[in-house]
Amino acid sequence: MKTRLGRKDIPALQEQHRLNEDLGIDSVMLLQLLVWMEVELGLPIPEEEVDPRIFDTVGSLLQFMESLQGCRNNTPC
């Protein structure tokens, strides 16, 4: 994530890091991250599944990504 966002100043990521407050990730960066997740990781992101709480912490984002793993195989999300 550090490399993808072009942020070399971000410390070693920990699940409790808040994306905005601790890591300085703004809304544009979040959109870039979502696009990267869809295109590069092949994770389909249904609009109705996107909730602002997903972007609270590194841990909440990882949980969301894990929940999307099953969606790759045409399994309902």
Side-chain angles (χ1 to χ4, degrees), residues 3-20:
T3 304
R4 180 66 193 143
L5 293 172
R7 299 283 313 267
K8 299 193 185 322
D9 59 323
I10 294 176
L13 295 176
Q14 297 181 15
E15 287 192 25
Q16 68 270 17
H17 280 140
R18 296 170 298 174
L19 296 180
N20 184 269

Side-chain angles (χ1 to χ4, degrees), residues 22-47:
D22 297 329
L23 303 177
I25 296 174
D26 62 19
S27 59
V28 173
M29 291 173 159
L30 286 174
L31 287 174
Q32 290 174 332
L33 184 58
L34 285 173
V35 169
W36 178 77
M37 288 168 51
E38 283 193 307
V39 173
E40 297 296 324
L41 300 179
L43 295 174
I45 303 176
E47 280 185 45

